[in-house]
Amino acid sequence: LNVDTVEVQIAWEQIEPVEGQFDFSFLDLLLEQARERDLRLVLLWFATWKNTNPQYAPAWVKLDNARFPRMRRADGTFHYVLSPFSRNTLEADTRAFVALMEHLKRVDPQNTVLMVQVQNEAGSYGLARDHGPEAEALFRGAVPAELLTRTGRTGANWSEAFGRDAELFFQSWHVARYIDHIAAAGKAVKPLPMYVNAALPDPFNWQDPNTFASGGPAQPVIDVWKAAAPHIDVLAPDIYTTDHRSYLKTL
């Protein structure tokens, strides 16, 4: 970008601490201060996922596992990550994001905000995919045709099509579809560029998806994300190590 930009974090719990009641005073202050300094902003939407965790979701979401369920392990116990298969969670996150974009449309016609990151480092550590009832049924079912076309794979189900990567590809598809739904709803209000970021696995060797942020837009599943999330403009890596910097130099 050829302008001075600053990333700012907007937490779901910050703007909707009580369900249906929105407070954008923090954002309004940021906009005012940015304009005074001739800066542009990139908003980071921390909601269902922030470094895979739901801690930036409102208390009324993260404390109600019946309405907003967590992922489940194979033995049926709860995992810490909110399930990407929950329609309730998706709809609540989308409503909040749309309210944010509607506010931006009203108060920022000059586009002080240039773009938006939708969620932050999505995925799940310690569990390659959700094992809740809906996820289990879908995992045994057919792979979406557009994903088979994109990847050149064939198979009657996820395991046949993707082998050892089946759980990773399955989780990535559904996380990407979830985030794309939110991005599409926001763009329908104010069509800013939107992107996602990835916590990266080993850049050189296959890594068990149970040991990294499974489901996020990392390099093994870029094709999955491109097929599943057409409203996302950029897949961006989070680069913390020398190995990953070296990897990018080879691309």
Side-chain angles (χ1 to χ4, degrees):
L1 298 175
N2 295 320
V3 294
D4 291 329
T5 60
V6 177
E7 290 184 343
V8 293
Q9 304 166 2
I10 302 295
W12 183 4
E13 68 176 350
Q14 191 174 35
I15 68 165
E16 194 184 10
V18 177
E19 185 172 6
Q21 298 180 24
F22 294 98
D23 179 1
F24 296 107
S25 56
F26 174 71
L27 175 58
D28 291 339
L29 179 61
L30 289 173
L31 291 169
E32 177 185 341
Q33 293 179 342
R35 290 165 186 157
E36 289 173 353
R37 293 161 176 80
D38 197 24
L39 297 173
R40 297 294 184 268
L41 302 178
V42 175
L43 298 190
L44 312 184
W45 176 239
F46 291 178
T48 299
W49 291 276
K50 197 284 179 183
N51 292 34
T52 76
N53 277 279
Q55 70 262 42
Y56 285 80
W60 54 269
V61 171
K62 59 193 170 192
L63 298 180
D64 190 348
N65 285 338
R67 185 180 171 198
F68 306 105
R70 308 295 177 111
M71 288 172 52
R72 288 186 181 269
R73 301 181 181 90
D75 64 4
T77 58
F78 281 119
H79 187 256
Y80 73 95
V81 176
L82 290 168
S83 173
F85 297 90
S86 169
R87 192 72 192 177
N88 285 342
T89 314
L90 174 60
E91 290 177 352
D93 192 330
T94 302
R95 282 194 299 269
F97 189 68
V98 166
L100 172 67
M101 298 305 292
E102 288 174 341
H103 186 75
L104 273 182
K105 183 178 180 179
R106 287 192 298 271
V107 303
D108 190 31
Q110 62 269 60
N111 290 330
T112 304
V113 174
L114 293 178
M115 60 192 305
V116 182
Q117 178 185 292
V118 188
Q119 313 295 332
N120 185 82
E121 291 190 1
S124 55
Y125 285 110
L127 189 63
R129 70 170 178 90
D130 193 358
H131 290 267
E134 182 179 357
E136 285 294 291
L138 288 169
F139 186 70
R140 293 191 296 269
V143 178
E146 59 265 48
L147 181 56
L148 292 176
T149 299
R150 176 89 194 187
T151 58
R153 303 293 187 95
T154 60
N157 55 47
W158 291 86
S159 294
E160 287 185 10
F162 300 110
R164 72 176 181 181
D165 291 321
E167 291 193 322
L168 172 64
F169 278 44
F170 174 80
Q171 181 79 352
S172 299
W173 173 266
H174 288 286
V175 170
R177 294 299 294 164
Y178 184 111
I179 293 176
D180 188 69
H181 182 277
I182 295 169
K187 281 187 168 185
V189 174
K190 185 175 174 67
L192 292 177
M194 297 192 183
Y195 72 102
V196 291
N197 64 332
L200 300 178
D202 188 310
F204 301 107
N205 305 294
W206 182 84
Q207 187 174 340
D208 184 339
N210 290 288
T211 66
F212 65 91
S214 180
Q219 68 270 18
V221 291
I222 287 176
D223 281 339
V224 179
W225 271 79
K226 287 185 174 180
H231 297 92
I232 296 297
D233 300 292
V234 177
L235 308 179
D238 280 356
I239 303 169
Y240 299 107
T241 69
T242 301
D243 282 349
H244 285 112
R245 287 193 290 269
S246 299
Y247 166 74
L248 287 179
K249 289 178 182 179
T250 68
L251 293 179

